[in-house]
Each structure stands twice: as structure tokens, then as C-alpha cells.
Amino acid sequence: MAMAANHLPPTAALSGGTATHRLIATARPSSISFRSLSSSASFKTIRLSHQKRSRIHVSGADFGTVATPKCFASDPEQLRSAKKDILDLLKTTFCHPILVRLGWHDAGTYNKNIEEWPNRGLVNALKLLQPIKDKYASVTYADLFQLASATAVEEAGGPKIPMKYGRVDVTGPEQCPEEGRLPDAGPPSPAAHLRDVFYRMGLSDKDIVALSGAHTLGRSRPERSGWGKPETKYTKEGPGAPGGQSWTVKWLRFDNSYFKDIKERRDEDLLVLPTDAALFEDPSFKVFAEKYAEDEKTFFDDYAVAHAKLSNLGSKFDPPEGFSINDEPPPPPAAAAPEKFEAAKYSSGKRELSDSMKQKIRAEYEGFGGSPDKPLQSNYFLNIMIVIAVLALLTSLLGS
């Protein structure tokens, strides 16, 4: 996967120690670094990570009477609206793979051994998301990247990720870690290399294998990464820009086919990197890879946990515990439908009303506009008067 790149437009600025909404920055202590891309003329590329929470400024947030502190790094309502816009973006541009990678590579340089906060090439993903960021100024880039990544997985048919938000952005490139912390595709010892990278983040063998399953989405392009074919029968017509080599046949669907295809290796048009092959060669990795090839639900469950864990690594949250955008209060219960009139219910059980009396009561009821199939509207006073009249009539009849 290529490294995520964060950018400042030529007009972007830092003023008064505050990150304005124009800052394209990610909120991850000791986590992400960005490589300047000279090929991008429309962006001035710098390396950015987190912003100190004491210096964060959220502009344009108006929570009204909502009991939500204004110090949240991102406005929850704007995040919900941004998710809807991301869903529309995914349906029109088929950019699921690159958005998943953006979130991953935003998180991919975290080092669990560095306690201080804060701890290539995805320019197209940033360009896709920038209009959404411009629209929702009170959403941090850090939250937007992770929201986009999780939403892309879900929209492609994958599991719902238990995400939390409130990540804080950085003030400048000096808060970013050094380059070179992401995994290579073809190291001399693939399994050992994967462990070096992911153990540094505090992840486990199960996390490594589950996260590798995200290769079910997307393609590798040799002109960008040095890996894969220029095109295959699965990629020559897109969708999106044609070309590249995918790991799976249906490379815009999130499922467990990655593990099945890597295990079988029957199709030369499907990509298998050395780090992919290691999942079925290393004894510890193989336990999980075999399980995920057989059981998609187990893969989904484990992937959702690992993705959320990765997205939170090294992040500084405001509020400290973060917040969910899926915890909206449930809608009020619907009003109970008016009870359908049944004359037999008004019998004491000791003496059944005659058919003629039922017809008489029914006629009186319909005279007020009701019927067995059309209960009266909710005029409580009128309903009470009808009930009293019926009860009085029944008492008189039964008493005689």
C-alpha cells in the first residue's frame, strides 16, 4: 500500500497557534508522516500529524441546546452529514480501496514505544475528500480520514466498524514522525517483517492477518508500487481508471475471497505478494488465514475489531474518551393505534348481547363516524362519553 500524503493548499496558513479548517492534517501522535510529492502542482505537500488539543480551534460549531461540549475536536452532527456525502462519493467514483488505504496509512506509522504526543502518494484520495472537508469545517482531517476508511469498508459490503471520533489535528510538520514505518510488499523475510511493523503498533498475529484481508479491495499498479501487472481481465475495464492487478476477482466487494484466492493460487491474473503468501506459510498466521477462508463471519468480526484498534492508535481525542456517531437517541415510540371496536367486548360474560342489540350499538357508533374498520379519530372526550353511554346501556340491560 502507498503512503498517505497530507497537503496544504498554497493559500493555507497557521495563525496564532491555531489550525484553521484549511489545514489538511491527521490526528495521530507518533503516527503518520507524509512525503512531498513534486508531481502534485495543486498542493504544497508537507508532513503533518496531530495538533495539541490545547491549541485546537473548532470554528463554525453551534451545538445550540445540545448538551455536547463545544471543545469536541469534531462536530458530531457534521460528521454524520459528512458520512452521507462520503457514501454518495463512493457510489459515483468507486474509490473504496483508496479511502481504506488512506485511513490505514494515516495510522500506519504509530509506535507504541513512543509515549509523547504526537507521534506516498494518496493525493487522489485527498482531492476526493477535500470538498467534503471544505463543506464541514468543524470536522478534523484526522476524523475525516478514518470516517472515510470505515465507511468505504461498510459500503463495499464489509462489517460495521465500531468507530469513535474526536481526533485532534496538528499545528505543524514538526509534530510528525520520521518516514519509513510502513510495511514493504516484498521484504526478504515477509512474516518477520510484518511482525516488526505491526508489533511496533501493539497489534497481534490475529490483527495482522485480519487487516491483511482488506486487500480484498483494490488493485496494485506497477507504475506506482512496482508490483503487479499493468492490467488483467478483471481490471482492464475499470470501474474507475482501468488497469492494475487486483487480489480478487470482484475487487470492489469486501468479503473473504482474498483468503480463498491466496490459498488456492489458481488464477495468474490475481496478485499474490510475498507478504500475502506469508499468511499461509507462517504457522501462526496460517491458523487465522485458514479460519477466515472458511468462515467469513469470523473474518468480519475480527476485522472490525482490528480496524477500529488501528484507527485509534496514537490518536489524541477531544473529548478524551472520544464519541460515537452511531449513538443517536432512538426515535420516540409510535402512538398506539386506536382500538378497533368490537361489541362483544362490552359483554360481562354472563349474558351475551343479542345480535339486534349489537347492530344497534354499532349503528350508534357509526353515527359518530366510526366503524370496525375505521376507528374514530383520537377525540378522547368523545370516546369517553361513548364508553360511558355504552356501559350505562349494558348495566341497564343486564340489570333487567
Side-chain angles (χ1 to χ4, degrees), residues 73-106:
S74 293
D75 182 333
E77 291 307 317
Q78 287 199 16
L79 272 170
R80 293 185 180 101
S81 298
K83 182 173 183 177
K84 295 177 182 178
D85 287 6
I86 291 170
L87 286 170
D88 291 339
L89 177 69
L90 291 165
K91 292 173 182 176
T92 56
T93 64
F94 310 106
C95 60
H96 306 66
I98 200 169
L99 293 188
V100 174
R101 288 168 57 207
L102 179 62
W104 270 45
H105 292 244
D106 170 34

Short mmCIF file of all heavy atoms in Angstrom, two decimals, residues 73-106:
data_model
loop_
_atom_site.label_atom_id
_atom_site.label_comp_id
_atom_site.label_asym_id
_atom_site.label_seq_id
_atom_site.Cartn_x
_atom_site.Cartn_y
_atom_site.Cartn_z
N ALA A 73 -13.26 17.97 19.26
CA ALA A 73 -12.42 18.23 18.10
C ALA A 73 -13.25 18.29 16.82
O ALA A 73 -12.97 19.07 15.93
CB ALA A 73 -11.36 17.14 17.99
N SER A 74 -14.27 17.44 16.71
CA SER A 74 -15.17 17.45 15.56
C SER A 74 -16.60 17.57 16.02
O SER A 74 -16.97 17.07 17.08
CB SER A 74 -15.01 16.15 14.74
OG SER A 74 -13.75 16.07 14.11
N ASP A 75 -17.41 18.22 15.20
CA ASP A 75 -18.84 18.37 15.47
C ASP A 75 -19.54 17.06 15.10
O ASP A 75 -19.49 16.64 13.94
CB ASP A 75 -19.38 19.53 14.64
CG ASP A 75 -20.86 19.79 14.88
OD1 ASP A 75 -21.58 18.85 15.25
OD2 ASP A 75 -21.30 20.93 14.68
N PRO A 76 -20.18 16.37 16.05
CA PRO A 76 -20.82 15.08 15.74
C PRO A 76 -21.85 15.17 14.62
O PRO A 76 -21.92 14.27 13.77
CB PRO A 76 -21.48 14.69 17.08
CG PRO A 76 -20.66 15.39 18.11
CD PRO A 76 -20.25 16.68 17.49
N GLU A 77 -22.64 16.24 14.58
CA GLU A 77 -23.64 16.35 13.54
C GLU A 77 -23.00 16.54 12.16
O GLU A 77 -23.47 16.00 11.16
CB GLU A 77 -24.59 17.52 13.84
CG GLU A 77 -25.49 17.28 15.04
CD GLU A 77 -26.28 15.97 14.93
OE1 GLU A 77 -26.79 15.68 13.83
OE2 GLU A 77 -26.36 15.22 15.92
N GLN A 78 -21.92 17.32 12.13
CA GLN A 78 -21.23 17.48 10.85
C GLN A 78 -20.59 16.16 10.40
O GLN A 78 -20.53 15.86 9.21
CB GLN A 78 -20.18 18.59 10.95
CG GLN A 78 -20.78 19.98 10.98
CD GLN A 78 -19.78 21.06 10.62
OE1 GLN A 78 -18.72 20.79 10.05
NE2 GLN A 78 -20.13 22.31 10.93
N LEU A 79 -20.11 15.38 11.35
CA LEU A 79 -19.56 14.07 11.00
C LEU A 79 -20.63 13.18 10.38
O LEU A 79 -20.38 12.48 9.38
CB LEU A 79 -18.98 13.39 12.24
CG LEU A 79 -17.52 13.67 12.58
CD1 LEU A 79 -17.18 13.12 13.95
CD2 LEU A 79 -16.58 13.08 11.54
N ARG A 80 -21.83 13.18 10.95
CA ARG A 80 -22.92 12.37 10.39
C ARG A 80 -23.26 12.82 8.97
O ARG A 80 -23.49 12.01 8.08
CB ARG A 80 -24.15 12.45 11.29
CG ARG A 80 -23.96 11.79 12.65
CD ARG A 80 -25.23 11.77 13.46
NE ARG A 80 -25.02 11.15 14.75
CZ ARG A 80 -24.86 11.80 15.89
NH1 ARG A 80 -24.90 13.12 15.89
NH2 ARG A 80 -24.66 11.17 17.02
N SER A 81 -23.28 14.13 8.77
CA SER A 81 -23.56 14.65 7.44
C SER A 81 -22.43 14.32 6.47
O SER A 81 -22.67 13.98 5.30
CB SER A 81 -23.78 16.17 7.50
OG SER A 81 -24.90 16.49 8.30
N ALA A 82 -21.20 14.40 6.95
CA ALA A 82 -20.05 14.07 6.11
C ALA A 82 -20.10 12.61 5.67
O ALA A 82 -19.73 12.27 4.54
CB ALA A 82 -18.75 14.37 6.85
N LYS A 83 -20.57 11.73 6.56
CA LYS A 83 -20.66 10.32 6.19
C LYS A 83 -21.63 10.13 5.03
O LYS A 83 -21.38 9.32 4.12
CB LYS A 83 -21.11 9.49 7.40
CG LYS A 83 -21.19 7.99 7.10
CD LYS A 83 -21.47 7.17 8.34
CE LYS A 83 -21.46 5.68 8.00
NZ LYS A 83 -21.66 4.83 9.20
N LYS A 84 -22.73 10.86 5.02
CA LYS A 84 -23.69 10.76 3.91
C LYS A 84 -23.04 11.21 2.61
O LYS A 84 -23.24 10.60 1.56
CB LYS A 84 -24.93 11.59 4.22
CG LYS A 84 -25.73 11.09 5.41
CD LYS A 84 -26.91 11.99 5.71
CE LYS A 84 -27.68 11.51 6.95
NZ LYS A 84 -28.81 12.41 7.29
N ASP A 85 -22.24 12.27 2.69
CA ASP A 85 -21.56 12.75 1.49
C ASP A 85 -20.51 11.75 1.01
O ASP A 85 -20.29 11.56 -0.20
CB ASP A 85 -20.89 14.10 1.76
CG ASP A 85 -21.90 15.23 1.86
OD1 ASP A 85 -23.12 14.94 1.83
OD2 ASP A 85 -21.49 16.39 1.97
N ILE A 86 -19.83 11.08 1.95
CA ILE A 86 -18.85 10.06 1.59
C ILE A 86 -19.54 8.89 0.90
O ILE A 86 -19.03 8.35 -0.09
CB ILE A 86 -18.07 9.59 2.84
CG1 ILE A 86 -17.16 10.72 3.34
CG2 ILE A 86 -17.24 8.34 2.52
CD1 ILE A 86 -16.54 10.44 4.69
N LEU A 87 -20.70 8.50 1.38
CA LEU A 87 -21.45 7.42 0.74
C LEU A 87 -21.80 7.78 -0.70
O LEU A 87 -21.69 6.96 -1.62
CB LEU A 87 -22.72 7.12 1.54
CG LEU A 87 -22.53 6.37 2.86
CD1 LEU A 87 -23.82 6.37 3.67
CD2 LEU A 87 -22.07 4.93 2.59
N ASP A 88 -22.22 9.03 -0.92
CA ASP A 88 -22.52 9.48 -2.28
C ASP A 88 -21.25 9.45 -3.15
O ASP A 88 -21.30 9.05 -4.32
CB ASP A 88 -23.09 10.90 -2.25
CG ASP A 88 -24.48 10.96 -1.63
OD1 ASP A 88 -25.15 9.91 -1.60
OD2 ASP A 88 -24.89 12.05 -1.19
N LEU A 89 -20.13 9.86 -2.56
CA LEU A 89 -18.86 9.85 -3.28
C LEU A 89 -18.47 8.43 -3.70
O LEU A 89 -18.05 8.18 -4.84
CB LEU A 89 -17.77 10.46 -2.40
CG LEU A 89 -16.34 10.48 -2.95
CD1 LEU A 89 -16.24 11.46 -4.12
CD2 LEU A 89 -15.35 10.86 -1.86
N LEU A 90 -18.64 7.48 -2.79
CA LEU A 90 -18.30 6.10 -3.08
C LEU A 90 -19.15 5.53 -4.21
O LEU A 90 -18.66 4.78 -5.07
CB LEU A 90 -18.47 5.24 -1.82
CG LEU A 90 -17.47 5.49 -0.69
CD1 LEU A 90 -17.96 4.87 0.61
CD2 LEU A 90 -16.09 4.95 -1.05
N LYS A 91 -20.41 5.90 -4.24
CA LYS A 91 -21.32 5.36 -5.25
C LYS A 91 -21.06 5.93 -6.64
O LYS A 91 -21.45 5.33 -7.64
CB LYS A 91 -22.77 5.63 -4.83
CG LYS A 91 -23.18 4.84 -3.59
CD LYS A 91 -24.57 5.24 -3.10
CE LYS A 91 -24.94 4.49 -1.83
NZ LYS A 91 -26.25 4.93 -1.29
N THR A 92 -20.42 7.07 -6.71
CA THR A 92 -20.18 7.70 -8.01
C THR A 92 -18.75 7.55 -8.51
O THR A 92 -18.51 7.61 -9.71
CB THR A 92 -20.53 9.20 -7.95
OG1 THR A 92 -19.78 9.83 -6.90
CG2 THR A 92 -22.02 9.40 -7.68
N THR A 93 -17.80 7.35 -7.60
CA THR A 93 -16.38 7.29 -8.02
C THR A 93 -15.74 5.93 -7.77
O THR A 93 -14.62 5.70 -8.23
CB THR A 93 -15.56 8.35 -7.27
OG1 THR A 93 -15.58 8.06 -5.86
CG2 THR A 93 -16.11 9.75 -7.51
N PHE A 94 -16.40 5.02 -7.02
CA PHE A 94 -15.86 3.68 -6.74
C PHE A 94 -14.46 3.77 -6.12
O PHE A 94 -13.56 3.00 -6.45
CB PHE A 94 -15.80 2.84 -8.02
CG PHE A 94 -17.08 2.82 -8.78
CD1 PHE A 94 -17.22 3.54 -9.96
CD2 PHE A 94 -18.18 2.10 -8.32
CE1 PHE A 94 -18.40 3.54 -10.67
CE2 PHE A 94 -19.37 2.10 -9.02
CZ PHE A 94 -19.48 2.82 -10.20
N CYS A 95 -14.32 4.71 -5.19
CA CYS A 95 -12.99 4.97 -4.61
C CYS A 95 -12.79 4.24 -3.29
O CYS A 95 -11.96 4.64 -2.47
CB CYS A 95 -12.80 6.48 -4.41
SG CYS A 95 -14.03 7.24 -3.30
N HIS A 96 -13.53 3.17 -3.05
CA HIS A 96 -13.43 2.43 -1.80
C HIS A 96 -11.99 2.06 -1.44
O HIS A 96 -11.54 2.33 -0.30
CB HIS A 96 -14.27 1.15 -1.86
CG HIS A 96 -15.70 1.35 -2.23
ND1 HIS A 96 -16.10 1.79 -3.48
CD2 HIS A 96 -16.84 1.16 -1.52
CE1 HIS A 96 -17.42 1.86 -3.52
NE2 HIS A 96 -17.89 1.49 -2.35
N PRO A 97 -11.22 1.44 -2.36
CA PRO A 97 -9.87 1.00 -1.97
C PRO A 97 -8.97 2.13 -1.51
O PRO A 97 -8.27 2.00 -0.49
CB PRO A 97 -9.34 0.34 -3.26
CG PRO A 97 -10.56 -0.07 -4.01
CD PRO A 97 -11.56 1.01 -3.73
N ILE A 98 -8.99 3.24 -2.23
CA ILE A 98 -8.04 4.31 -1.90
C ILE A 98 -8.42 5.00 -0.59
O ILE A 98 -7.56 5.47 0.15
CB ILE A 98 -7.94 5.32 -3.06
CG1 ILE A 98 -6.64 6.12 -2.93
CG2 ILE A 98 -9.14 6.24 -3.12
CD1 ILE A 98 -6.33 6.95 -4.17
N LEU A 99 -9.71 5.02 -0.25
CA LEU A 99 -10.11 5.61 1.02
C LEU A 99 -9.76 4.70 2.19
O LEU A 99 -9.39 5.17 3.27
CB LEU A 99 -11.61 5.93 1.02
CG LEU A 99 -12.07 7.02 0.05
CD1 LEU A 99 -13.54 7.37 0.28
CD2 LEU A 99 -11.21 8.27 0.17
N VAL A 100 -9.90 3.39 1.98
CA VAL A 100 -9.47 2.45 3.03
C VAL A 100 -7.97 2.61 3.27
O VAL A 100 -7.50 2.67 4.41
CB VAL A 100 -9.80 1.00 2.63
CG1 VAL A 100 -9.21 0.02 3.65
CG2 VAL A 100 -11.31 0.80 2.55
N ARG A 101 -7.21 2.70 2.19
CA ARG A 101 -5.75 2.86 2.32
C ARG A 101 -5.40 4.16 3.02
O ARG A 101 -4.45 4.22 3.81
CB ARG A 101 -5.11 2.82 0.94
CG ARG A 101 -5.10 1.45 0.31
CD ARG A 101 -4.73 1.55 -1.16
NE ARG A 101 -3.46 2.20 -1.34
CZ ARG A 101 -3.13 2.87 -2.45
NH1 ARG A 101 -4.00 2.99 -3.43
NH2 ARG A 101 -1.94 3.42 -2.55
N LEU A 102 -6.15 5.22 2.72
CA LEU A 102 -5.86 6.50 3.35
C LEU A 102 -5.97 6.40 4.87
O LEU A 102 -5.10 6.86 5.60
CB LEU A 102 -6.82 7.57 2.83
CG LEU A 102 -6.65 8.97 3.43
CD1 LEU A 102 -5.26 9.52 3.11
CD2 LEU A 102 -7.72 9.91 2.90
N GLY A 103 -7.04 5.78 5.35
CA GLY A 103 -7.19 5.60 6.79
C GLY A 103 -6.11 4.73 7.39
O GLY A 103 -5.57 5.00 8.46
N TRP A 104 -5.77 3.66 6.67
CA TRP A 104 -4.74 2.74 7.15
C TRP A 104 -3.39 3.43 7.24
O TRP A 104 -2.68 3.30 8.23
CB TRP A 104 -4.62 1.58 6.17
CG TRP A 104 -5.50 0.42 6.47
CD1 TRP A 104 -6.81 0.46 6.82
CD2 TRP A 104 -5.12 -0.94 6.44
NE1 TRP A 104 -7.28 -0.81 6.98
CE2 TRP A 104 -6.27 -1.69 6.77
CE3 TRP A 104 -3.94 -1.60 6.15
CZ2 TRP A 104 -6.25 -3.07 6.82
CZ3 TRP A 104 -3.92 -2.98 6.20
CH2 TRP A 104 -5.08 -3.71 6.53
N HIS A 105 -3.05 4.14 6.22
CA HIS A 105 -1.71 4.71 6.18
C HIS A 105 -1.60 5.98 7.01
O HIS A 105 -0.52 6.40 7.37
CB HIS A 105 -1.30 4.93 4.72
CG HIS A 105 -1.11 3.63 4.00
ND1 HIS A 105 0.10 3.22 3.51
CD2 HIS A 105 -1.97 2.63 3.74
CE1 HIS A 105 -0.03 2.01 2.96
NE2 HIS A 105 -1.29 1.65 3.08
N ASP A 106 -2.75 6.54 7.32
CA ASP A 106 -2.78 7.59 8.32
C ASP A 106 -2.34 7.02 9.67
O ASP A 106 -1.66 7.68 10.45
CB ASP A 106 -4.21 8.14 8.40
CG ASP A 106 -4.43 9.07 9.58
OD1 ASP A 106 -3.48 9.79 9.95
OD2 ASP A 106 -5.54 9.09 10.12
#
